[in-house]
Coordinates of all heavy atoms in Angstrom, one line a residue:
L1 N -4.2 9.4 -10.9 CA -3.9 10.4 -11.8 C -2.5 10.4 -12.2 O -2.1 11.0 -13.2 CB -4.3 11.8 -11.2 CG -4.1 13.0 -12.1 CD1 -5.0 12.9 -13.3 CD2 -4.4 14.3 -11.3
S2 N -1.6 9.7 -11.5 CA -0.2 9.8 -11.6 C 0.4 8.8 -12.6 O 0.2 7.6 -12.5 CB 0.5 9.5 -10.2 OG 0.0 10.5 -9.3
P3 N 1.2 9.4 -13.5 CA 2.0 8.5 -14.4 C 3.0 7.7 -13.7 O 3.5 8.1 -12.6 CB 2.6 9.4 -15.4 CG 2.7 10.7 -14.7 CD 1.6 10.8 -13.7
R4 N 3.4 6.5 -14.2 CA 4.3 5.6 -13.5 C 5.6 5.5 -14.4 O 6.7 5.6 -13.9 CB 3.7 4.3 -13.2 CG 4.7 3.1 -12.9 CD 5.1 3.2 -11.4 NE 5.7 2.1 -10.9 CZ 6.7 1.3 -11.4 NH1 7.1 1.5 -12.6 NH2 7.2 0.3 -10.7
N5 N 5.4 5.2 -15.7 CA 6.6 5.0 -16.6 C 6.1 5.0 -18.0 O 4.9 5.0 -18.3 CB 7.3 3.6 -16.2 CG 6.4 2.4 -16.5 OD1 5.2 2.5 -16.7 ND2 7.0 1.2 -16.5
F6 N 7.1 5.0 -18.9 CA 6.9 4.9 -20.3 C 7.9 4.0 -20.9 O 9.1 4.3 -20.7 CB 6.9 6.3 -21.0 CG 6.6 6.2 -22.5 CD1 5.3 6.1 -22.9 CD2 7.6 6.2 -23.4 CE1 5.0 6.0 -24.3 CE2 7.3 6.1 -24.8 CZ 6.0 6.0 -25.2
T7 N 7.5 2.9 -21.6 CA 8.5 2.0 -22.2 C 8.0 1.7 -23.6 O 6.9 1.2 -23.8 CB 8.6 0.7 -21.4 OG1 7.3 0.1 -21.3 CG2 9.2 0.9 -20.1
G8 N 8.8 2.1 -24.6 CA 8.5 1.9 -26.0 C 7.2 2.6 -26.3 O 7.1 3.8 -26.4
S9 N 6.1 1.9 -26.6 CA 4.9 2.5 -27.0 C 3.8 2.4 -25.8 O 2.6 2.6 -26.1 CB 4.3 1.8 -28.2 OG 4.1 0.4 -28.0
N10 N 4.2 2.0 -24.6 CA 3.3 1.8 -23.5 C 3.5 2.8 -22.4 O 4.7 2.9 -21.9 CB 3.4 0.4 -22.9 CG 3.0 -0.7 -23.9 OD1 2.0 -0.5 -24.6 ND2 3.7 -1.8 -24.0
A11 N 2.5 3.5 -22.0 CA 2.5 4.4 -20.9 C 1.9 3.7 -19.7 O 0.9 3.1 -19.8 CB 1.8 5.7 -21.2
G12 N 2.6 3.8 -18.5 CA 2.1 3.2 -17.3 C 1.6 4.2 -16.3 O 2.1 5.3 -16.2
V13 N 0.5 3.8 -15.6 CA -0.1 4.7 -14.6 C -0.2 3.9 -13.3 O -0.4 2.7 -13.3 CB -1.5 5.1 -15.1 CG1 -2.2 5.9 -14.0 CG2 -1.4 5.9 -16.4
W14 N -0.1 4.6 -12.2 CA -0.3 3.9 -10.9 C -1.7 3.5 -10.7 O -2.6 4.3 -11.0 CB 0.1 4.9 -9.7 CG 1.6 5.1 -9.6 CD1 2.3 6.1 -10.0 CD2 2.5 4.2 -9.0 NE1 3.7 5.9 -9.7 CE2 3.8 4.7 -9.1 CE3 2.4 2.9 -8.4 CZ2 5.0 4.1 -8.6 CZ3 3.6 2.3 -7.9 CH2 4.8 2.9 -8.0
V15 N -1.9 2.3 -10.2 CA -3.3 1.8 -10.1 C -3.4 1.1 -8.7 O -2.4 0.7 -8.1 CB -3.7 0.8 -11.2 CG1 -3.7 1.4 -12.5 CG2 -2.7 -0.4 -11.2
V16 N -4.6 0.9 -8.3 CA -4.9 0.1 -7.1 C -5.7 -1.1 -7.5 O -6.7 -1.0 -8.3 CB -5.6 0.9 -6.0 CG1 -6.0 0.0 -4.8 CG2 -4.8 2.0 -5.5
G17 N -5.4 -2.3 -7.1 CA -6.0 -3.6 -7.5 C -7.3 -3.9 -6.8 O -7.3 -5.0 -6.1
G18 N -8.2 -3.1 -6.8 CA -9.6 -3.4 -6.3 C -9.5 -3.9 -4.9 O -8.8 -3.3 -4.0
S19 N -10.2 -5.0 -4.6 CA -10.4 -5.5 -3.3 C -9.0 -6.1 -2.7 O -8.9 -6.2 -1.5 CB -11.5 -6.5 -3.2 OG -11.2 -7.6 -4.1
S20 N -8.1 -6.4 -3.5 CA -6.8 -6.9 -3.0 C -5.9 -5.7 -2.5 O -5.0 -6.0 -1.7 CB -6.0 -7.6 -4.2 OG -5.4 -6.6 -5.1
G21 N -6.2 -4.5 -2.9 CA -5.4 -3.4 -2.4 C -4.0 -3.3 -3.0 O -3.2 -2.6 -2.5
Y22 N -3.8 -4.1 -4.1 CA -2.4 -4.1 -4.7 C -2.1 -2.7 -5.3 O -3.0 -2.2 -6.0 CB -2.3 -5.2 -5.7 CG -0.9 -5.2 -6.4 CD1 0.2 -5.8 -5.7 CD2 -0.7 -4.6 -7.6 CE1 1.4 -5.8 -6.3 CE2 0.5 -4.5 -8.2 CZ 1.6 -5.1 -7.6 OH 2.8 -5.1 -8.1
F23 N -1.0 -2.1 -5.0 CA -0.6 -0.8 -5.5 C 0.5 -1.0 -6.5 O 1.6 -1.4 -6.1 CB -0.2 0.1 -4.3 CG 0.1 1.5 -4.7 CD1 -0.6 2.3 -5.6 CD2 1.3 2.1 -4.2 CE1 -0.3 3.6 -5.9 CE2 1.6 3.4 -4.5 CZ 0.8 4.1 -5.3
G24 N 0.2 -0.8 -7.7 CA 1.3 -1.0 -8.8 C 1.0 -0.2 -10.0 O 0.4 0.8 -10.0

């Protein structure tokens, strides 16, 4: 649910990378 950043026209959100468990 958490926003991460906003650059130009792109909004970023925190995500988890499925079975890899990558948090980015």
Side-chain angles (χ1 to χ4, degrees):
L1 183 63
S2 302
R4 166 79 166 46
N5 64 347
F6 182 80
T7 55
S9 60
N10 295 319
V13 176
W14 287 102
V15 295
V16 175
S19 54
S20 75
Y22 179 80
F23 182 46

